[in-house]
Amino acid sequence: MESWKSHGITGVCMNCGFEHQKTARCAAIAHEVGLEYHAWAAAMLQDGLDSAWYTVNRWGQSASVPQFRAYVDYYQTLDPHNPEVVEWLTQQFLQLAEIPHVDYVQLDYIRYADVILAEGLWQKYQHRIHHDWRDAEGNVREFPGADYCYCDACCADFKAQTGIDIKAKMAEGIDPASIPEWAQFRCDNVTNLVNEICKVLHDNGFKVSADVFPGPHSYAKPMVRQQWDKWDCDMFFPMNYNDFYLQPAEWVGEVTQEAVQSTTKPVVSGLFICRDWQNKANIEDPEGHGLSPDELKTAASKSLEAGAAAICLFTPERMTEAHWQ
């Protein structure tokens, strides 16, 4: 952390999950060095909890079952509409916030699974999901295997709120993606969860930051049901990973501007770094791509020009000396 501080880093987001001892040690070291500390934990990715707490996809498959999880085996996603999930997560983040030297708890993976995957990742996961991402007209389609949540409680509560029986609509051959109220219901589920966490933590004097998809309107809402302009967080870290969206570094400025115009809270533009940048063209895995030093300069400057409060580097071990310069 001392080397990061020497390069001008002012804060650190450490993924210690809900491990209190590890969080306490990292937070203490960060403060000793003079860095702000965000206790970063993946909210919805939890293993070994009540099977009724997990989301159910459009095919009726529960994310509690490993072979039914979309994209990767660790997508064991909780249901944000389940009141027991809301209570459990709220208490987990409250306990995290109470650890000495924690400045913010950081909500990561506070969303549904990617019902629409970033285009730069389509080919990587095609062998696992066998999904045609575009229809005959070229429009991007949702992936039913990652379209959550169709559990009995969600469907019943949606019907009670709107009068729409989503399963009956599907039985009639209607694409649920064509029903805007159904998409909004899921967005509201995530928003209600986040705002409950924020209320409890704020009432106890703590701060909350969140990792979010770019947008909120352009990508976050349609892809993962994050309508984060309605969230009561104190700071946002949009993951403006341009290569995932097959976009140049300049695009980061565009989505940062959208984010800044959508919230009054500080926006920290998240930038994805390519460690082996000189060999980037030969790296097959898109998650090994990212910004070269020149691209980092562009993405950082465009972010700040667009009104970002700061930038965030994902991740520090990917930073080469040329990147730091």
Side-chain angles (χ1 to χ4, degrees), residues 48-247:
L49 301 179
D50 188 326
S51 60
W53 287 16
Y54 292 87
T55 52
V56 175
N57 67 21
R58 196 187 299 181
W59 294 327
Q61 300 167 332
S62 172
S64 66
V65 182
Q67 60 264 37
F68 294 151
R69 294 171 187 163
Y71 311 121
V72 288
D73 292 339
Y74 59 80
Y75 262 37
Q76 56 245 41
T77 53
L78 298 178
D79 178 3
H81 186 61
N82 186 313
E84 293 181 300
V85 169
V86 175
E87 173 63 20
W88 186 83
L89 282 173
T90 300
Q91 291 305 311
Q92 293 300 312
F93 280 109
L94 178 59
Q95 292 170 25
L96 209 58
E98 291 171 339
I99 297 172
H101 307 298
V102 169
D103 297 299
Y104 290 75
V105 295
Q106 187 170 29
L107 314 180
D108 186 32
Y109 207 98
I110 192 80
R111 58 184 182 85
Y112 286 95
D114 321 49
V115 66
I116 297 173
L117 198 63
E119 187 172 357
L121 302 176
W122 288 359
Q123 185 174 356
K124 176 175 181 177
Y125 294 105
Q126 186 62 24
H127 74 283
R128 176 161 177 150
I129 65 174
H130 306 292
H131 176 64
D132 186 355
W133 284 104
R134 295 191 187 277
D135 61 20
E137 287 74 41
N139 300 311
V140 177
R141 303 166 60 240
E142 293 185 353
F143 173 46
D147 182 20
Y148 298 100
C149 175
Y150 290 78
C151 72
D152 291 342
C154 282
C155 292
D157 289 350
F158 176 65
K159 183 178 180 180
Q161 287 183 25
T162 66
I164 300 172
D165 186 330
I166 195 66
K167 291 187 177 180
K169 293 291 185 182
M170 291 170 58
E172 295 169 10
I174 297 174
D175 183 354
S178 68
I179 302 174
E181 295 91 344
W182 181 229
Q184 187 61 51
F185 176 77
R186 271 84 59 79
C187 288
D188 292 343
N189 289 340
V190 178
T191 296
N192 293 339
L193 166 63
V194 172
N195 288 345
E196 177 62 21
I197 293 172
C198 288
K199 180 183 184 303
V200 171
L201 268 68
H202 288 159
D203 286 349
N204 285 275
F206 302 121
K207 295 180 180 179
V208 182
S209 61
D211 297 316
V212 293
F213 269 47
H217 314 292
S218 54
Y219 297 94
K221 183 179 178 181
M223 293 175 71
V224 293
R225 321 295 188 193
Q226 284 182 332
Q227 204 167 8
W228 54 263
D229 53 318
K230 296 184 176 183
W231 296 5
D232 296 332
C233 298
D234 302 289
M235 187 180 295
F236 292 103
F237 287 75
M239 298 178 286
N240 298 329
Y241 302 163
N242 58 294
D243 278 1
F244 288 12
Y245 299 89
L246 304 181
Q247 297 289 344

Side-chain angles (χ1 to χ4, degrees), residues 249 252-253 256 269 271 291 294-306 308 310-311 313:
V252 174
T256 299
S269 179
L271 308 179
L291 298 166
D294 284 345
E295 291 171 328
L296 172 58
K297 183 176 181 180
T298 297
S301 61
K302 292 295 183 183
S303 295
L304 298 176
E305 289 168 8
I311 61 167
L313 306 171

